[in-house]
Amino acid sequence: MNSSASIEMPLYRLAHGRTGDKGNRSNISVIAFHPALWPVIEAQVTAERVAAHFAARAPSHVARYVLAQLQALNFVLDEVLEGGVNSALNLDSHGKALAFDLLQMTVALPRDLLVHCRGPQAA
């Protein structure tokens, strides 16, 4: 993508997220704010990028599920919750904050789609 035609943008400007957990598995959904933003999210928020984003948590597997009619992605990350709620000493052993962490990932957004983003407009 031509850098003058696009801008690096945190995912939280394009989408919102939800997180759930079961044992040592986290489930993170990313939902587009606007249908025009969906192709960017679908193309750039891959299982490989999500695995790399959470490398410090060392997921054993990351699966991506595309929910095109909802303009949403669902990611299932295995072995990321330090054993789960009953085993971990981590204060956020449920992993509820993982959606916020994932939404920090950046994507290359065509400038003409900025009007559909949430938050302050970039220069």
Side-chain angles (χ1 to χ4, degrees):
M1 201 173 272
N2 182 327
S3 62
S4 64
S6 67
I7 184 171
E8 283 293 308
M9 182 73 56
L11 189 54
Y12 66 79
R13 297 280 313 275
L14 286 71
H16 61 99
R18 297 280 297 165
T19 309
D21 60 85
K22 193 65 154 180
N24 201 17
R25 175 178 283 169
S26 183
N27 176 320
I28 306 172
S29 295
V30 176
I31 306 106
F33 285 136
H34 191 277
L37 301 170
W38 168 241
V40 173
I41 295 167
E42 184 182 21
Q44 295 183 47
V45 186
T46 64
E48 294 78 18
R49 284 197 69 205
V50 171
H53 186 79
F54 288 108
R57 286 186 172 260
S60 63
H61 180 66
V62 175
R64 180 179 99 148
Y65 300 93
V66 177
L67 304 150
Q69 289 184 321
L70 299 175
Q71 289 129 22
L73 299 172
N74 187 57
F75 293 93
V76 178
L77 292 78
D78 292 329
E79 311 291 324
V80 294
L81 298 177
E82 298 178 11
V85 66
N86 293 327
S87 301
L89 297 176
N90 186 338
L91 291 175
D92 185 29
S93 57
H94 291 284
K96 299 298 183 192
L98 294 185
F100 295 107
D101 188 1
L102 181 57
L103 293 174
Q104 299 296 316
M105 178 188 294
T106 61
V107 295
L109 181 73
R111 288 183 182 274
D112 62 336
L113 294 179
L114 271 171
V115 298
H116 302 297
C117 291
R118 302 286 167 94
Q121 293 302 314

